[in-house]
Amino acid sequence: MTDRKPCKVCNFSRQRSYGLAVPSLDELKVKGSEFLGFSPSEPVTVVLDDDGTIVQDQAYFLCLPLNTKFMLLHEREKWVPVRKMDGGTAWMARDSLVLEADSVDFAAAAPWWNLSQQLKQDLASIILMSEADLQTLVDVPVPELASALGFREKKAEDLQETLQRVLDRREEERQSKELLQLYLKAAEKEDGQQEEPSQPGQEEAADEVDAMEVDPASGFMSRTLMVLKGKTSPETRLSTEDLQMVVSRGVEAMEQVLGWDTARTSALLQACEAELTGRLQQVQAVQSVRSNAQLDGSQQSGEQRTAEEEGVETPARGGGD
């Protein structure tokens, strides 16, 4: 017991944290994964929670101070610094915001903050956000969102209107699919195909039961599983990261996660892959338009400079003659 090293572990969101006493780095990975609910078969990377330094060497691990806090990351997860602010009163003195030692995690206190930073880096990321993410940004008070993005309030208000239009468009697409499904069911009945009609109440009850049966080894959040097991067009409700995760798992793995048959699972993965492809194509189109606009701007600037230089030289030649 004397050779065990006391330390702490947390997941990438820092919402779960545990204290451990382990003798080695490998034991930290095993015990930390167990406490955090990770699958034993999935590899994890150990980093320092303070600055994201990757810890791979046993000797370095032993040299670290007692009660060092580590973060365990999956393959697609990345370390991000902690954003801190006082417990919700910073808006009262935004110009003189002071970060204190006993402050709380900003990302936990204001979930929309990370989403706003994604938009600040690239507005095209709107296409990749889930409906829940879009609604979160729409519900943010305009002054708060404007401050986070560095926009004027009018521009932030226009952005929220754009986000609402994206939400409305996705809802219209989903309703169109629902109408098409209702039409196909009616046509099947008219053709005399005897299929047992589904009971909406029973289906909803089954969805609620399934939503509670979350597989800890699946790697999916409970909200994502609930959306996947929804009745209509779940792919339109997922973020691009969730879609990539579903598609990368494959049919067999998703069958085990969802408890569905092969046909139903394959149809879901095909819909998710189509939705993912469409969103990525939209992002590429936006980036292409942006690149072309920048190129045209550069060419116009070059032509204008050339014209100005020629305009200066012509009078000089005339004066000499």
Side-chain angles (χ1 to χ4, degrees):
M1 296 295 293
T2 57
D3 58 348
R4 292 181 176 270
K5 185 184 187 70
C7 58
K8 301 175 183 178
V9 293
C10 66
N11 59 353
F12 81 103
S13 64
R14 298 184 177 88
Q15 294 179 352
R16 302 177 67 183
S17 180
Y18 298 94
L20 302 175
V22 293
S24 65
L25 180 61
D26 291 337
E27 187 71 12
L28 172 66
K29 293 181 180 180
V30 174
K31 290 294 185 182
S33 297
E34 179 181 346
F35 276 86
L36 294 172
F38 295 167
S39 172
S41 60
E42 294 185 2
V44 295
T45 301
V46 179
V47 302
L48 297 180
D49 177 63
D50 290 339
D51 58 10
T53 300
I54 298 176
V55 182
Q56 292 181 328
D57 182 67
Q58 170 67 12
Y60 180 72
F61 169 77
L62 294 176
C63 291
L64 293 171
L66 301 181
N67 293 316
T68 297
K69 189 173 184 180
F70 300 93
M71 179 183 292
L72 301 190
L73 302 175
H74 282 145
E75 182 179 359
R76 287 175 294 275
E77 296 173 345
K78 295 182 179 179
W79 176 89
V80 293
V82 177
R83 295 184 180 275
K84 296 183 177 181
M85 62 177 292
D86 64 285
T89 61
W91 61 273
M92 300 175 63
R94 190 184 313 280
D95 294 337
S96 60
L97 178 63
V98 178
L99 303 181
E100 300 181 358
D102 58 348
S103 57
V104 299
D105 187 351
F106 191 12
W112 57 268
W113 176 265
N114 289 334
L115 299 174
S116 68
Q117 298 311 296
Q118 293 180 25
L119 290 182
K120 188 174 183 180
Q121 294 177 3
D122 187 4
L123 285 175
S125 62
I126 293 174
I127 302 171
L128 307 179
M129 291 184 177
S130 66
E131 291 184 353
D133 293 340
L134 294 173
Q135 189 62 56
T136 298
L137 289 171
V138 170
D139 294 338
V140 177
V142 173
E144 298 286 331
L145 184 61
S147 176
L149 294 173
F151 290 173
R152 294 183 178 179
E153 290 190 9
K154 181 61 171 66
K155 186 174 181 180
E157 186 177 357
D158 293 340
L159 175 61
Q160 286 187 326
E161 292 178 358
T162 300
L163 298 177
Q164 186 62 55
R165 286 196 293 269
V166 174
L167 280 171
D168 295 342
R169 178 180 58 80
R170 293 189 185 180
E171 180 63 26
E172 290 174 358
E173 293 176 353
R174 184 161 49 252
Q175 291 179 359
S176 298
K177 291 181 180 180
E178 290 176 354
L179 290 174
L180 178 58
Q181 290 177 356
L182 290 174
Y183 171 78
L184 293 176
K185 288 182 179 180
E188 289 175 357
K189 290 180 179 180
E190 291 178 359
D191 293 339
Q193 296 181 359
Q194 301 298 325
E195 293 184 359
E196 183 179 354
S198 60
Q199 300 294 330
Q202 295 178 359
E203 188 173 347
E204 290 176 2
D207 287 342
E208 292 177 0
V209 173
D210 289 342
M212 298 300 293
E213 298 174 355
V214 178
D215 181 7
S218 67
F220 289 101
M221 298 180 65
S222 59
R223 180 182 63 81
T224 302
L225 289 177
M226 291 177 65
V227 172
L228 285 171
K229 295 182 180 182
K231 293 186 296 183
T232 307
S233 305
E235 69 277 2
T236 62
R237 294 177 166 90
L238 296 177
S239 67
T240 301
E241 182 180 356
D242 289 336
L243 289 173
Q244 291 175 330
M245 194 171 182
V246 171
V247 173
S248 64
R249 288 296 180 89
V251 176
E252 294 183 0
M254 293 306 300
E255 283 182 25
Q256 298 177 359
V257 171
L258 299 173
W260 292 354
D261 56 29
T262 303
R264 186 178 179 186
T265 307
S266 298
L268 173 64
L269 260 68
Q270 290 175 1
C272 289
E273 186 172 3
E275 177 71 16
L276 177 62
T277 300
R279 293 188 192 181
L280 295 179
Q281 288 175 348
Q282 289 177 346
V283 172
Q284 292 175 356
V286 171
Q287 293 175 344
S288 177
V289 171
R290 183 180 301 167
S291 299
N292 291 336
Q294 293 175 350
L295 181 60
D296 292 342
S298 300
Q299 292 177 347
Q300 292 176 1
S301 299
E303 293 174 356
Q304 183 177 2
R305 286 195 299 270
T306 301
E308 291 176 352
E309 292 173 355
E310 292 178 352
V312 171
E313 293 174 359
T314 301
R317 286 194 299 268
D321 293 339

